[in-house]
Amino acid sequence: MTAQIIDGNAVSRQLRAEVAQRTAALKARGTTPGLAVILVGEDPASQVYVGKKVQACEEAGLHSVLEKYDASLTEAALLARVEALNADPSIHGILVQLPLPRHIDAQKVIETIAPSKDVDGFHVASAGALMTGLPGFWSCTPYGCIKLLESIGYDLKGKHAVVIGRSNNVGKPMALMLLQKNATVTVCHSATADLKAMTLQADVIVAAVGRRNTLTADMVKPGAVVIDVGMNRNEQGKLCGDVDFAAVKEVAGWITPVPGGVGPMTVTMLLVNTLESAEREARAKA
Ligand code: NAP
């Protein structure tokens, strides 16, 4: 059996087209969704990421502001900028690109973002809303994985989902989202005694580890859906995920490639969250 590929680029294109349509409709009613992106320092990967986010906003018709600061920016100055953006009515989403320089407490910065503008979904209020099932912003990467599952019409109800990884930005919110969709969820991590025994029971596997070949073909039940969040480099410097794609695709029913799977969805869900923030605000004003 060869798995069907879940094409993150195609799903992203469709969702971004929907965002563009809804943005145009909102603009016609007087509100332009706005995203502020703050970058502190010169980290090359961060520069690429923020560039992609700003470009995606422009392409979908959202207003975006990129604020770049020297790595010597003080924590107090950054907190003051976040507070000013909290109060800025043209901004509906605030994203502070991580990692921040070591002298700045990233958690403190995230907690300063108004939860109503926390489109990255990293604020404790967003995490708490996800945990309790209240409205709030879902963090973009796991939210993108849910959209990929929806794109193939996959009903998670009663399915066994195994998440490998328990980080605050991917693994844990992923598990909670799958739970909210009525899957039975197992969360694995570096201290899991027998990872293969867990993954072999899974109807859906989400790998979010950051280590190549964590999931091999012998660990996958035939027909399972495999979502690969990992972003690693192989010996040739080529981007690859956590899954041994070539072998696992011969066992799985559905699989996401790397690149072209989860990656494009993260920026897409940032646009969706920013638009939804603006739509909520427009509804509240009406
Ligand atoms: P992270 O914070 O380093 O978390 C990695 C998780 O994997 C931890 O929970 C760790 O367990 C677990 N782990 C490590 N070795 C393991 C093993 N041998 N077996 C089982 N679990 C193991 O990383 P992250 O931020 O969640 O990111 C994970 C991967 O996704 C990275 O490659 C990252 O680049 C990628 N990523 C991609 C996107 C995207 O847009 N596509 C977005 C975010 C992240 P412990 O908790 O026990 O240490």
Side-chain angles (χ1 to χ4, degrees), residues 18-41:
E18 287 167 25
V19 167
Q21 271 180 4
R22 276 163 61 191
T23 297
L26 194 61
K27 277 177 160 174
R29 298 199 301 275
T31 301
T32 301
L35 174 71
V37 179
I38 298 182
L39 175 65
V40 185

Side-chain angles (χ1 to χ4, degrees), residues 13-245:
R13 266 196 302 278
Q14 195 190 332
L15 282 173
R16 289 186 198 197
E18 287 167 25
V19 167
Q21 271 180 4
R22 276 163 61 191
T23 297
L26 194 61
K27 277 177 160 174
R29 298 199 301 275
T31 301
T32 301
L35 174 71
V37 179
I38 298 182
L39 175 65
V40 185
E42 308 285 324
D43 180 65
S46 292
Q47 293 194 1
V48 172
Y49 293 146
V50 298
K52 280 187 179 172
K53 289 166 186 174
V54 168
Q55 189 191 347
C57 277
E58 279 162 15
E59 285 168 5
L62 284 80
H63 163 62
S64 69
V65 180
L66 173 57
E67 297 191 7
K68 285 187 178 179
Y69 297 103
D70 191 82
S72 63
L73 184 77
T74 65
E75 183 181 282
L78 178 56
L79 294 177
R81 268 318 293 152
V82 171
E83 273 160 9
L85 292 165
N86 283 343
D88 183 341
S90 73
I91 295 300
H92 304 92
I94 302 169
L95 182 151
V96 178
Q97 186 66 41
L98 302 177
L100 286 168
R102 292 163 71 96
H103 65 277
I104 298 177
D105 180 345
Q107 198 56 37
K108 196 165 163 189
V109 174
I110 290 166
E111 299 314 326
T112 303
I113 297 172
S116 61
K117 298 190 179 187
D118 175 41
V119 288
D120 242 350
F122 290 169
H123 196 291
V124 283
S126 303
L130 171 61
M131 205 188 92
T132 50
L134 291 171
F137 293 113
W138 282 12
S139 69
C140 298
T141 300
Y143 191 13
C145 296
I146 292 288
K147 289 286 172 193
L148 289 175
L149 290 167
E150 284 177 4
S151 77
I152 60 167
Y154 193 80
D155 184 4
L156 284 158
K157 188 176 173 185
K159 300 294 197 308
H160 185 188
V162 170
V163 180
I164 319 176
R166 58 172 166 182
S167 68
N168 288 336
N169 59 333
V170 189
K172 279 187 215 160
M174 184 78 255
L176 289 166
M177 288 173 202
L178 292 163
L179 194 59
Q180 200 169 114
K181 299 284 178 188
N182 290 320
T184 300
V185 182
T186 300
V187 183
C188 300
H189 44 78
S190 65
T192 296
D194 188 348
L195 183 61
K196 180 177 170 180
M198 298 296 133
T199 57
L200 274 175
Q201 295 174 41
D203 302 304
V204 178
I205 303 170
V206 180
V209 175
R211 205 193 63 177
R212 281 172 55 208
N213 296 332
T214 298
L215 190 77
T216 49
D218 58 318
M219 299 168 75
V220 177
K221 182 168 84 173
V225 181
V226 176
I227 307 284
D228 191 353
V229 181
M231 278 184 4
N232 312 298
R233 298 270 166 197
N234 67 14
E235 290 94 352
Q236 291 79 42
K238 219 175 132 241
L239 193 64
C240 63
D242 292 342
V243 175
D244 177 5
F245 181 81

